[in-house]
Amino acid sequence: MICRTQEDIDGMMLAGKITGQALKYAETLIKPNISTFELDKLIEKYIIDKGAIPSFLNYDGYPASICASINSVVVHGIPSVNTILKEGDIVSIDVGAIINGYNGDAARTFAVGKISPEKARLIEVTKQCFFEGIKHLAIGEKLGKLSYAIQKHAESNGYSVVRELVGHGIGHDMHESPEVPNYGLPSQGIRVKEGMCLAIEPMINMGERYIYINEDGWGIETRDGKPSAHYENTVIVTKNGVVITTLIED
Ligand code: MF3
Ligand code: CO
């Protein structure tokens, strides 16, 4: 959506805050031996207790309130009692909340206990990709500048960018136009407008970029079985710069 009023901005900020807080809460739960089902139930309750609605639940038939994607699962991992976090895993938690008709959507990739330096670097560079991208997000500029910056940062670190899934506009609906690819050329895409709300979400693979949809019909996994990381925030492009609605400072 394009925020046209202070009410729109306040609405997006509150939805983003609850979403960001849910991820901060998620971080406290991540440890070896917890199942992704337990994570889902606890985070779902957290969102409902804040007076918000978990936006993923029943979205296109999705059966849970979070996506929990471990190691080679890129995104859309369905929580399960049989999926147990173990030391050395990386897990991305993706969550969305709706309040007063406004959406927040965000994801973080967390370490489970002690992880390898290779996985730690993948998590760090994926987060950097988001921040490199938004340096180029400004009113009147081509959206492709952001996409190009994300791709360049990932590839210059030896990683690859998932292309089949992209970021998106967000507002009264979780998925709105425009698409926000994490790859492309600076000359591509629409021009960024004042008030534009976007969910920007680099999905970065340690190995090759190729993915497949697993047998449950949701989970997206790397073809080469190597790890993947995801980092997402909902942002608003304002006259005074980019505001990240889902980022909670420590
Ligand atoms: N955060 C995801 C996205 O940006 C949404 C998860 S898909 C759902 O597209 F079905 F689980 F909702
Ligand atoms: Co999203």
Side-chain angles (χ1 to χ4, degrees):
M1 74 178 253
I2 306 285
C3 288
R4 300 190 190 280
T5 62
Q6 190 60 42
E7 187 184 340
D8 283 343
I9 291 176
D10 293 347
M12 289 302 289
M13 291 304 292
L14 179 60
K17 182 177 177 187
I18 294 168
T19 304
Q21 288 173 329
L23 286 173
K24 277 283 170 201
Y25 173 60
E27 187 170 17
T28 69
L29 302 173
I30 301 292
K31 57 180 186 305
N33 295 321
I34 193 167
S35 73
T36 56
F37 177 85
E38 288 173 87
L39 293 174
D40 181 57
K41 288 301 154 208
L42 289 165
I43 295 165
E44 178 177 280
K45 180 175 181 338
Y46 182 93
I47 292 169
I48 292 169
D49 286 349
K50 293 271 173 185
I53 300 164
S55 55
F56 293 6
L57 189 61
N58 300 320
Y59 186 92
D60 281 346
Y62 188 75
S65 295
I66 67 166
C67 301
S69 308
I70 299 172
N71 298 333
S72 61
V73 183
V74 179
V75 288
H76 301 173
I78 298 178
S80 162
V81 286
N82 299 318
T83 306
I84 313 285
L85 301 187
K86 63 176 195 302
E87 179 102 16
D89 284 344
I90 60 173
V91 57
S92 92
I93 304 295
D94 190 348
V95 66
I98 307 175
I99 189 159
N100 302 328
Y102 295 92
N103 274 267
D105 181 8
R108 304 283 181 264
T109 301
F110 299 114
V112 182
K114 194 171 161 41
I115 61 169
S116 69
E118 291 76 18
K119 282 179 167 174
R121 194 174 77 91
L122 176 68
I123 291 175
E124 193 52 36
V125 170
T126 302
K127 178 178 177 180
Q128 287 168 5
C129 282
F130 170 87
F131 287 97
E132 285 301 313
I134 65 168
K135 284 182 188 170
H136 301 271
L137 184 63
I139 297 165
E141 300 292 342
K142 289 287 185 82
L143 193 54
K145 284 191 161 187
L146 168 141
S147 304
Y148 176 77
I150 291 173
Q151 181 180 8
K152 199 170 85 177
H153 191 69
E155 292 180 354
S156 66
N157 278 283
Y159 300 144
S160 66
V161 173
V162 173
R163 301 193 182 194
E164 292 82 354
L165 297 114
V166 295
H168 47 94
I170 182 167
H172 291 305
D173 292 310
M174 174 162 63
H175 292 138
E176 299 185 0
S177 65
E179 290 195 344
V180 185
N182 298 301
Y183 63 93
L185 296 172
S187 58
Q188 291 175 324
I190 57 155
R191 278 189 200 281
V192 176
K193 292 179 195 55
E194 184 180 345
M196 203 172 250
C197 299
L198 302 171
I200 298 161
E201 49 180 318
M203 287 153 267
I204 305 301
N205 293 352
M206 193 180 283
E208 293 190 59
R209 72 175 178 85
Y210 304 103
I211 53 103
Y212 69 97
I213 304 176
N214 74 20
E215 57 289 347
D216 68 29
W218 277 100
I220 304 290
E221 303 199 28
T222 60
R223 282 213 171 271
D224 62 12
K226 292 186 181 172
S228 182
H230 183 205
Y231 184 89
E232 175 178 26
N233 282 305
T234 297
V235 310
I236 311 172
V237 184
T238 78
K239 255 206 295 281
N240 303 317
V242 175
V243 177
I244 306 173
T245 71
T246 45
L247 194 62
I248 309 291
E249 302 294 347
D250 285 303

